[in-house]
Amino acid sequence: MSLDATRAEPHPHEARRRLEHARASRLAQLRALDETERGSDDHLLSAQKTAMEGVLKEIEEAFTRVDDGTYGICVGCAKPVPAERLEILPYTRHCVACRRRTA
């Protein structure tokens, strides 16, 4: 069995572990932004906070995909998202080609 074949579909336990790590990291970043934002009227900080909240929403949606069995399947082309991409962006919904088309 090749390495590619064993990594083609992420195991739900591994996917959850990666998503939990991503969520914890983003929550820590959001807390840091909240602390920095206090007493500041910086639009950049506000934009960063909004972006971080968007990523947290994507992470929660990825947990739903794990639960319903669609995690790791591109919503654009219905092909498996490469394992390497899921390692980097565990909450991604698209393969690279489809993401380029939607960007």
Side-chain angles (χ1 to χ4, degrees), residues 10-91:
H11 188 276
H13 177 72
E14 180 65 20
R16 283 191 171 285
R17 186 189 64 75
R18 286 191 186 135
L19 289 168
E20 287 167 1
H21 176 74
R23 179 172 51 195
S25 296
R26 296 323 182 281
L27 285 170
Q29 292 170 341
L30 190 58
R31 280 191 297 273
L33 286 172
D34 281 341
E35 290 173 12
T36 304
E37 191 176 41
R38 289 186 193 146
S40 173
D41 191 26
D42 190 341
H43 295 293
L44 178 59
L45 287 175
S46 179
Q48 288 175 325
K49 184 177 174 183
T50 299
M52 196 62 57
E53 289 167 344
V55 170
L56 284 165
K57 183 176 185 262
E58 289 181 50
I59 290 169
E60 294 307 317
E61 290 169 355
F63 277 110
T64 300
R65 291 192 303 278
V66 170
D67 292 341
D68 69 19
T70 61
Y71 180 82
I73 304 299
C74 177
V75 298
C77 65
K79 293 180 182 175
V81 175
E84 294 82 9
R85 181 159 171 80
L86 291 171
E87 286 176 19
I88 296 167
L89 288 170
Y91 49 88

